[in-house]
């Protein structure tokens, strides 16, 4: 009999793909979600699932396998005042996947910490209650490769606190959340940590519902906002498709052995190659690349500087995100080659996030 999984972040990019893959494997899901703006929690979950299912969407089938739990991770017990609801959740949860987080590079620390750190603590406190009841088998925490912060050189699964600083509040809070996870592991929880690199669209369709992070600099490159940009052309980035991250995670979700897993592509992509590929697809003039240490920032307007600032560390830091897991040929991780990237670019065009110029 397949197990019950409490999934946070189901309305997010990775969370929606995880939900689809978990259902495919026969799991039942408790989907923790909250209302937002003009959408109810139920509507947000429905929209997320319709996004990943497309024509395969069967609302009756999905409804029989997903139970909505309306709540918010920033509150103890997820803000659920009905003790019977919490007790039922405690007694029926076999596995927890904590995917909910804010992945904004510019958000102030006081706004992002209550979610990324405080929310993680609330999930872990709930997990302890489940553990004491005796049914919970595993907690899976989704972190990020960028807990490495400003660290240069090799960064492997055994490393966390290596004296690094952080480029933004997102990196800092995800680091703090990992520190917290390790403290709770010492309290008896069986926990695995997953650190994906930069997540981009589906490997087959390029599909994404999140045009943040690596998509944002792609956008202003395509609009030729810069003649010269503060980037080291030899710096490498590791990009990985969302469906790959989801598939590998679901394969490991029940693994009884706790561990830290780096979810990375088998090949890195140099900054100059990334810009070359994108300029060939979108037909824009690529900017001249000058390492940030040698860059004359007086050449940029205040607006250009503000746009570039959040992304400069990722175009200049030189790191090697080592991964034992991804050396396993059985995982069949897709390389980030021109065909893969072009699918991602095509989806950007189809969604009118970027328009191609006449070639």
């Amino acid at each position: 009999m397949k197990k019950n999984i409490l999934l946070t972040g189901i309305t997010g990019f990775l969370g929606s793909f995880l939900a689809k893959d978990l259902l495919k494997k026969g799991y039942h899901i408790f989907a923790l979600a909250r209302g937002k703006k003009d959408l109810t929690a139920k509507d947000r979950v429905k929209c997320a699932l319709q996004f990943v299912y497309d024509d395969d969407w069967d609302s009756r089938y999905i409804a029989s396998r997903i139970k909505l739990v309306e709540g918010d991770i920033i509150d103890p017990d997820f803000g659920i005042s009905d003790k019977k609801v919490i007790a039922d959740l405690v007694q029926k949860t076999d596995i927890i996947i904590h995917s909910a987080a804010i992945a904004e590079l510019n958000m102030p620390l006081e706004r992002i910490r209550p979610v990324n750190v405080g929310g993680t603590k609330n999930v872990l406190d709930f997990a302890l209650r489940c553990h004491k009841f005796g049914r919970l088998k595993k907690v899976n925490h989704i972190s990020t490769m960028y807990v490495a912060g400003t660290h240069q050189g090799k960064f492997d699964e055994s490393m966390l606190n290596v004296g690094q600083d952080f480029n933004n509040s997102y990196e800092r809070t995800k680091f703090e959340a990992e520190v917290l996870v390790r403290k709770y592991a010492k309290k008896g929880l069986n926990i695995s940590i997953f650190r994906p690199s930069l997540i981009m669209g589906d490997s087959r369709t390029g599909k994404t519902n999140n045009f943040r992070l690596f998509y944002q600099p792609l956008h202003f490159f395509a609009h030729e906002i810069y003649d010269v940009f503060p980037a080291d052309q030899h710096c490498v980035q590791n990009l990985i498709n969302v469906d790959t991250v989801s598939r590998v995670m679901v394969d490991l979700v029940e693994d009884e052995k706790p561990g830290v897993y780096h979810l990375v592509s088998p090949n890195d992509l140099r900054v100059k190659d990334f810009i070359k590929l994108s300029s060939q697809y979108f037909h824009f003039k690529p900017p001249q690349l000058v390492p940030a240490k040698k860059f004359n920032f007086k050449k940029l307007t205040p607006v250009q500087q503000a746009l570039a600032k959040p992304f400069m560390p990722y175009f200049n830091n030189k790191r090697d995100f080592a991964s034992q897991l991804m050396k396993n040929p059985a995982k069949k991780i897709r390389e980030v080659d021109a065909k893969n990237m072009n699918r991602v670019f095509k989806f950007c065009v189809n969604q009118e996030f970027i328009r191609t110029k006449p070639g």
Side-chain angles (χ1 to χ4, degrees), residues 126-174:
F126 175 79
L128 278 180
R129 292 179 63 180
C130 297
H131 176 67
K132 289 177 181 177
F133 180 77
R135 178 158 176 166
L136 183 72
K137 302 299 181 185
K138 186 78 179 294
V139 177
N140 298 277
H141 172 73
I142 301 176
S143 184
T144 173
M145 199 69 73
Y146 296 95
V147 293
T150 58
H151 177 74
Q152 300 284 312
K154 183 179 180 181
F155 191 79
D156 64 29
E157 289 96 337
S158 68
M159 302 167 74
L160 178 59
N161 190 346
V162 290
Q164 71 269 46
D165 198 359
F166 301 96
N167 297 300
N168 48 62
S169 57
Y170 171 66
E171 291 181 353
R172 183 178 296 278
T173 55
K174 294 301 284 185

Coordinates of all heavy atoms in Angstrom, one line a residue, residues 126-174:
F126 N 6.2 19.9 13.6 CA 5.1 19.0 13.2 C 5.6 17.6 13.0 O 5.0 16.6 13.4 CB 4.3 19.5 12.0 CG 3.3 18.6 11.5 CD1 2.0 18.5 12.1 CD2 3.5 17.7 10.4 CE1 1.0 17.6 11.7 CE2 2.5 16.8 10.0 CZ 1.3 16.8 10.6
A127 N 6.7 17.5 12.3 CA 7.3 16.2 12.1 C 7.7 15.5 13.3 O 7.5 14.2 13.4 CB 8.6 16.4 11.2
L128 N 8.1 16.2 14.3 CA 8.4 15.6 15.6 C 7.2 15.0 16.3 O 7.2 13.9 16.9 CB 9.0 16.6 16.6 CG 10.5 16.9 16.5 CD1 10.9 17.9 17.5 CD2 11.4 15.6 16.7
R129 N 6.1 15.7 16.1 CA 4.8 15.1 16.6 C 4.4 13.8 15.9 O 4.0 12.8 16.5 CB 3.7 16.1 16.5 CG 3.9 17.3 17.4 CD 2.7 18.4 17.2 NE 1.4 17.8 17.6 CZ 0.3 18.5 17.5 NH1 0.3 19.8 17.1 NH2 -0.9 18.0 17.8
C130 N 4.6 13.8 14.6 CA 4.3 12.6 13.8 C 5.3 11.5 14.2 O 4.9 10.3 14.3 CB 4.5 12.9 12.3 SG 3.4 14.1 11.6
H131 N 6.5 11.8 14.4 CA 7.5 10.8 14.8 C 7.2 10.2 16.2 O 7.3 9.0 16.4 CB 8.9 11.5 14.9 CG 10.0 10.6 15.4 ND1 10.5 9.5 14.6 CD2 10.8 10.6 16.5 CE1 11.4 8.9 15.3 NE2 11.6 9.6 16.4
K132 N 6.7 11.0 17.1 CA 6.4 10.5 18.4 C 5.1 9.6 18.3 O 5.0 8.6 19.1 CB 6.1 11.7 19.4 CG 7.4 12.4 19.8 CD 7.0 13.6 20.7 CE 8.3 14.4 21.0 NZ 8.0 15.6 21.8
F133 N 4.3 9.9 17.4 CA 3.1 9.0 17.2 C 3.6 7.6 16.7 O 2.9 6.6 17.0 CB 2.1 9.7 16.2 CG 0.9 8.8 16.0 CD1 -0.1 8.7 16.9 CD2 0.8 8.1 14.8 CE1 -1.3 8.0 16.7 CE2 -0.3 7.3 14.6 CZ -1.4 7.2 15.5
G134 N 4.6 7.6 15.9 CA 5.2 6.4 15.5 C 5.1 6.0 14.0 O 5.6 4.9 13.6
R135 N 4.4 6.8 13.2 CA 4.1 6.4 11.8 C 5.1 7.1 10.9 O 5.4 6.5 9.8 CB 2.7 6.8 11.5 CG 2.3 6.5 10.0 CD 0.9 6.3 9.8 NE 0.5 6.1 8.4 CZ -0.6 5.7 7.9 NH1 -1.6 5.4 8.8 NH2 -0.8 5.5 6.7
L136 N 5.6 8.3 11.1 CA 6.4 9.0 10.2 C 7.7 8.2 9.9 O 8.4 7.8 10.9 CB 6.7 10.4 10.7 CG 7.5 11.3 9.8 CD1 6.7 11.8 8.6 CD2 8.1 12.5 10.6
K137 N 8.1 8.1 8.7 CA 9.3 7.4 8.3 C 10.4 8.3 7.8 O 11.6 8.0 7.9 CB 8.9 6.3 7.2 CG 7.9 5.3 7.6 CD 8.3 4.5 8.8 CE 7.2 3.5 9.1 NZ 7.6 2.7 10.4
K138 N 10.0 9.4 7.2 CA 11.0 10.2 6.5 C 10.6 11.6 6.3 O 9.4 11.9 6.1 CB 11.3 9.6 5.1 CG 12.4 10.2 4.3 CD 13.8 9.7 4.8 CE 14.9 10.3 4.0 NZ 14.9 9.8 2.6
V139 N 11.6 12.5 6.5 CA 11.4 14.0 6.1 C 12.3 14.3 5.0 O 13.5 14.0 5.1 CB 11.6 14.9 7.4 CG1 11.5 16.3 6.9 CG2 10.7 14.5 8.5
N140 N 11.9 14.9 4.0 CA 12.7 15.3 2.8 C 12.7 16.9 2.7 O 11.6 17.4 2.5 CB 12.2 14.7 1.6 CG 12.3 13.2 1.6 OD1 13.3 12.6 1.4 ND2 11.1 12.6 1.9
H141 N 13.8 17.5 2.9 CA 13.9 18.9 2.9 C 14.6 19.4 1.7 O 15.7 19.0 1.3 CB 14.7 19.4 4.1 CG 15.0 20.9 4.1 ND1 14.1 21.8 4.4 CD2 16.2 21.6 3.9 CE1 14.6 23.0 4.3 NE2 15.9 22.9 4.0
I142 N 13.9 20.3 0.9 CA 14.5 20.8 -0.3 C 15.2 22.1 0.0 O 14.6 23.1 0.4 CB 13.4 21.1 -1.4 CG1 12.7 19.7 -1.7 CG2 14.0 21.6 -2.6 CD1 11.6 19.8 -2.6
S143 N 16.5 22.1 -0.2 CA 17.4 23.2 0.0 C 17.8 23.8 -1.3 O 17.0 23.7 -2.3 CB 18.6 22.8 0.9 OG 19.4 23.9 1.2
T144 N 19.0 24.2 -1.4 CA 19.6 24.7 -2.7 C 21.1 24.6 -2.7 O 21.7 24.6 -1.6 CB 19.2 26.2 -2.9 OG1 19.9 26.7 -4.1 CG2 19.6 27.1 -1.7
M145 N 21.7 24.5 -3.8 CA 23.1 24.4 -4.0 C 23.8 25.7 -3.5 O 24.9 25.7 -3.0 CB 23.5 24.2 -5.4 CG 24.9 23.6 -5.6 SD 25.0 21.9 -5.0 CE 24.1 21.1 -6.3
Y146 N 23.0 26.7 -3.4 CA 23.6 28.0 -3.2 C 23.6 28.4 -1.7 O 23.9 29.5 -1.3 CB 22.8 29.1 -4.0 CG 23.1 28.8 -5.4 CD1 22.1 28.1 -6.2 CD2 24.3 29.2 -6.0 CE1 22.4 27.8 -7.5 CE2 24.5 28.9 -7.3 CZ 23.6 28.2 -8.1 OH 23.9 27.8 -9.4
V147 N 23.5 27.3 -0.8 CA 23.9 27.5 0.6 C 25.4 27.6 0.6 O 26.0 28.0 1.6 CB 23.5 26.3 1.4 CG1 22.0 26.2 1.6 CG2 24.0 25.0 0.9
A148 N 26.1 27.4 -0.5 CA 27.5 27.6 -0.6 C 27.9 29.0 -0.5 O 29.0 29.4 -0.2 CB 28.0 27.0 -1.9
G149 N 26.9 29.9 -0.8 CA 27.2 31.4 -0.7 C 28.4 31.8 -1.5 O 28.5 31.6 -2.7
T150 N 29.3 32.5 -0.8 CA 30.5 33.1 -1.5 C 31.6 32.1 -1.7 O 32.7 32.5 -2.1 CB 30.9 34.4 -0.8 OG1 31.3 34.0 0.6 CG2 29.9 35.4 -0.8
H151 N 31.4 30.9 -1.2 CA 32.5 29.9 -1.2 C 33.0 29.7 -2.7 O 32.2 29.6 -3.6 CB 32.0 28.6 -0.7 CG 33.0 27.5 -0.7 ND1 34.2 27.4 0.1 CD2 33.1 26.4 -1.6 CE1 34.9 26.3 -0.2 NE2 34.3 25.7 -1.2
Q152 N 34.3 29.6 -2.9 CA 34.9 29.4 -4.2 C 35.5 28.0 -4.2 O 36.0 27.5 -3.2 CB 36.0 30.4 -4.5 CG 35.5 31.8 -4.5 CD 34.7 32.2 -5.7 OE1 35.1 32.0 -6.8 NE2 33.6 32.9 -5.5
G153 N 35.4 27.3 -5.4 CA 36.0 26.0 -5.6 C 35.0 24.9 -5.3 O 33.8 25.1 -5.4
K154 N 35.5 23.8 -4.9 CA 34.7 22.6 -4.7 C 33.8 22.7 -3.5 O 34.1 23.2 -2.4 CB 35.6 21.3 -4.5 CG 34.8 20.0 -4.4 CD 35.7 18.8 -4.2 CE 35.0 17.5 -4.1 NZ 35.9 16.4 -3.9
F155 N 32.5 22.3 -3.7 CA 31.5 22.2 -2.6 C 30.7 20.9 -2.8 O 30.0 20.8 -3.8 CB 30.6 23.4 -2.7 CG 29.7 23.6 -1.5 CD1 30.2 24.2 -0.4 CD2 28.4 23.2 -1.6 CE1 29.4 24.4 0.7 CE2 27.6 23.4 -0.5 CZ 28.1 24.0 0.7
D156 N 30.9 20.0 -1.9 CA 30.3 18.7 -2.0 C 29.2 18.5 -1.0 O 29.0 19.3 -0.1 CB 31.3 17.6 -2.1 CG 32.1 17.4 -0.8 OD1 31.6 17.8 0.3 OD2 33.3 17.0 -0.8
E157 N 28.7 17.3 -1.0 CA 27.5 16.9 -0.1 C 27.9 17.0 1.4 O 27.0 17.2 2.3 CB 27.0 15.6 -0.4 CG 26.2 15.5 -1.7 CD 27.0 15.0 -2.9 OE1 28.3 15.2 -2.8 OE2 26.5 14.5 -3.9
S158 N 29.2 16.8 1.7 CA 29.6 16.8 3.1 C 29.8 18.2 3.7 O 30.0 18.3 4.9 CB 30.9 16.0 3.3 OG 32.0 16.7 2.6
M159 N 29.7 19.2 2.9 CA 30.0 20.6 3.3 C 28.8 21.4 3.5 O 27.8 21.2 2.8 CB 30.9 21.2 2.2 CG 32.2 20.5 1.9 SD 33.0 21.0 0.4 CE 33.7 22.6 1.0
L160 N 28.8 22.2 4.5 CA 27.8 23.2 4.8 C 28.4 24.5 5.3 O 28.5 25.5 4.5 CB 26.7 22.7 5.7 CG 25.6 23.8 6.1 CD1 24.9 24.2 4.8 CD2 24.6 23.2 7.1
N161 N 28.8 24.5 6.5 CA 29.4 25.7 7.1 C 30.9 25.7 6.8 O 31.7 25.0 7.5 CB 29.2 25.8 8.6 CG 29.6 27.2 9.1 OD1 30.3 28.0 8.5 ND2 29.1 27.5 10.3
V162 N 31.3 26.5 5.8 CA 32.8 26.5 5.4 C 33.3 27.9 5.5 O 34.3 28.3 4.9 CB 33.0 26.0 4.0 CG1 32.7 24.5 3.9 CG2 32.1 26.7 3.0
G163 N 32.7 28.7 6.4 CA 33.1 30.1 6.6 C 32.6 31.1 5.5 O 33.1 32.2 5.4
Q164 N 31.6 30.7 4.7 CA 31.2 31.5 3.6 C 30.3 32.6 4.1 O 29.7 32.6 5.2 CB 30.4 30.7 2.6 CG 29.0 30.2 3.1 CD 29.1 28.8 3.8 OE1 29.9 28.6 4.6 NE2 28.1 27.9 3.4
D165 N 30.3 33.7 3.3 CA 29.3 34.7 3.5 C 28.2 34.5 2.4 O 28.3 33.4 1.7 CB 29.9 36.1 3.2 CG 29.1 37.2 3.8 OD1 28.0 37.0 4.4 OD2 29.5 38.4 3.7
F166 N 27.2 35.3 2.3 CA 26.1 35.1 1.4 C 25.8 36.3 0.5 O 26.0 37.4 1.0 CB 24.9 34.7 2.2 CG 25.1 33.5 3.1 CD1 25.4 33.6 4.4 CD2 25.0 32.2 2.5 CE1 25.7 32.5 5.2 CE2 25.3 31.1 3.3 CZ 25.6 31.2 4.6
N167 N 25.4 36.0 -0.7 CA 25.2 37.1 -1.7 C 23.8 37.7 -1.5 O 23.6 38.8 -2.0 CB 25.3 36.5 -3.1 CG 26.7 35.9 -3.4 OD1 27.7 36.7 -3.3 ND2 26.8 34.6 -3.6
N168 N 22.9 37.1 -0.8 CA 21.6 37.6 -0.7 C 20.9 36.9 0.5 O 21.4 35.9 1.0 CB 20.8 37.5 -2.0 CG 20.9 36.1 -2.6 OD1 20.4 35.1 -2.0 ND2 21.5 36.0 -3.7
S169 N 19.7 37.4 0.8 CA 18.9 36.8 1.9 C 18.4 35.4 1.6 O 18.2 34.6 2.5 CB 17.8 37.8 2.3 OG 16.9 38.0 1.2
Y170 N 18.2 35.1 0.3 CA 17.7 33.8 0.0 C 18.8 32.8 0.4 O 18.5 31.8 1.0 CB 17.4 33.7 -1.5 CG 17.1 32.3 -2.0 CD1 16.0 31.6 -1.6 CD2 18.0 31.7 -2.9 CE1 15.7 30.3 -2.0 CE2 17.7 30.4 -3.3 CZ 16.6 29.7 -2.9 OH 16.4 28.4 -3.3
E171 N 20.0 33.0 -0.1 CA 21.1 32.1 0.3 C 21.2 31.9 1.8 O 21.4 30.8 2.3 CB 22.4 32.5 -0.3 CG 22.5 32.5 -1.8 CD 23.8 32.9 -2.4 OE1 24.6 33.4 -1.6 OE2 24.0 32.8 -3.6
R172 N 21.2 33.0 2.5 CA 21.4 33.0 3.9 C 20.3 32.2 4.6 O 20.6 31.4 5.5 CB 21.5 34.4 4.5 CG 21.7 34.5 6.0 CD 21.8 36.0 6.4 NE 23.0 36.7 5.8 CZ 24.2 36.6 6.3 NH1 24.5 35.8 7.3 NH2 25.2 37.3 5.7
T173 N 19.1 32.5 4.3 CA 18.0 31.8 5.0 C 17.9 30.3 4.6 O 17.6 29.5 5.5 CB 16.6 32.4 4.7 OG1 16.4 32.5 3.2 CG2 16.6 33.8 5.2
K174 N 18.3 29.9 3.4 CA 18.3 28.5 3.1 C 19.5 27.8 3.9 O 19.3 26.6 4.3 CB 18.5 28.3 1.6 CG 17.3 28.7 0.8 CD 16.0 28.0 1.2 CE 15.9 26.6 0.6 NZ 14.6 26.0 0.9

